Amino acid sequence: GMRENNKIKYSLAGFFMGVAELIPGISGATVAVIFKIYPNLMTILSKLRIKHLSFNLSSLSKTFQFDLLLPLIFSMIAAIILCSKAINFLLNNYEENFFTFLGCLMIILSLQIINFFKGILHQKKLFIFIFLGSSIGFILGQLDVESENISIFYLILSGVLAFSFFLIPGISGSSMLVVLGIYSPIIGAIANFNFDILIPFALGCLISLLLLPRLILSIYSSYEQSLLYLFSGLIASSGFLLL
């Protein structure tokens, strides 16, 4: 019946969210919006608080809608593992072409996020946010992170940032990884199960998951337009640097 259809819908959404999350520019949260499950997903995530954790499985299952959440999570993990192997192959064999493709994708998508001219004609101040975002992107691009010796702190921070953006529609977590200069190492780590990199990164994601869904929703709803412009600039300039 209804629940069964929902299970299938959440599994499919999970799979596409996983794929989307690994490709910079396309955001998993946007996929959730397209599948019309975003508000419910955010509701589930914002219940992640100590007081809701119990050893009573049936109450846990009710609070977190396991019958929908688990199919979503499993198919998402499957997609991430499959997709990371494919992307890792491209990174190792066709790095130039793949980065050019990603760069173009990120620039096109950032323009599409901005829906460029509409907002600017109304509010000149949005230019400031595009400029700010682009500048931050260029500064981060100059950091030139060495993939051999990324510090654990940097990995945790990247996890926090990437996961925070995973929660916001329109901005992809992996775009942030490109911006931070660690897209290739993270994809490689997922594809090859390299836990030295994955564990600190996952820790960052977990911190973000526990602390941020409520915060992100409130900030995002108040400053949606300015933030979108800021990140469009950021993603566009990072895409430009990949070309």
Side-chain angles (χ1 to χ4, degrees):
M2 190 62 200
R3 285 314 261 185
E4 285 311 305
N5 288 350
N6 263 346
K7 267 187 194 150
I8 295 169
K9 182 162 108 174
Y10 275 70
S11 305
L12 275 175
F15 188 84
F16 287 112
M17 283 168 74
V19 173
E21 228 11 78
L22 288 189
I23 300 172
I26 309 170
S27 138
T30 307
V31 173
V33 170
I34 293 168
F35 274 92
K36 299 198 174 49
I37 64 170
Y38 182 75
N40 191 35
L41 201 55
M42 278 313 218
T43 308
I44 297 175
L45 291 180
S46 59
K47 286 184 180 151
L48 274 170
R49 288 176 231 176
I50 305 291
K51 67 167 196 237
H52 285 138
L53 301 181
S54 69
F55 292 104
N56 174 347
L57 254 181
S58 69
S59 87
L60 268 184
S61 168
K62 259 206 197 70
T63 308
F64 295 110
Q65 304 179 34
F66 280 173
D67 59 331
L68 300 177
L69 193 61
L70 296 181
L72 178 107
I73 291 171
F74 284 129
S75 56
M76 192 153 148
I77 290 170
I80 285 175
I81 291 170
L82 288 170
C83 189
S84 69
K85 289 201 184 301
I87 292 177
N88 201 38
F89 171 78
L90 293 172
L91 284 171
N92 290 331
N93 299 292
Y94 303 102
E95 189 175 35
E96 287 282 288
N97 307 6
F98 186 61
F99 273 140
T100 306
F101 164 71
L102 286 186
C104 295
L105 191 68
M106 283 170 73
I107 290 170
I108 291 166
L109 281 155
S110 65
L111 295 182
Q112 175 246 321
I113 292 174
I114 287 182
N115 207 328
F116 223 67
F117 303 102
K118 214 167 63 187
I120 294 189
L121 291 175
H122 293 301
Q123 290 169 291
K124 304 284 184 288
K125 69 164 199 270
L126 290 174
F127 261 132
I128 303 168
F129 288 102
I130 293 176
F131 179 71
L132 258 175
S134 311
S135 314
I136 298 170
F138 277 112
I139 293 165
L140 286 169
Q142 304 317 310
L143 282 178
D144 207 34
V145 180
E146 294 290 317
S147 46
E148 281 66 57
N149 50 16
I150 314 169
S151 76
I152 287 190
F153 174 73
Y154 196 72
L155 282 169
I156 294 176
L157 183 69
S158 303
V160 171
L161 282 170
F163 196 86
S164 309
F165 288 104
F166 166 71
L167 299 171
I168 300 177
I171 298 152
S172 144
S174 52
S175 288
M176 287 319 289
L177 296 181
V178 173
V179 169
L180 294 164
I182 58 169
Y183 181 68
S184 303
I186 296 282
I187 296 281
I190 299 172
N192 306 315
F193 297 109
N194 172 355
F195 290 107
D196 294 348
I197 289 183
L198 285 182
I199 287 172
F201 181 70
L203 184 66
C205 292
L206 189 67
I207 293 171
S208 171
L209 174 67
L210 294 175
L211 301 181
L212 295 176
R214 297 198 300 285
L215 180 70
I216 284 175
L217 277 177
S218 63
I219 294 178
Y220 184 68
S221 50
S222 319
Y223 301 104
E224 184 170 22
Q225 242 200 337
S226 310
L227 282 178
L228 278 181
Y229 278 77
L230 183 70
F231 294 118
S232 300
L234 191 58
I235 291 166
S237 64
S238 306
F240 182 73
L241 292 172
L242 286 181
L243 299 180

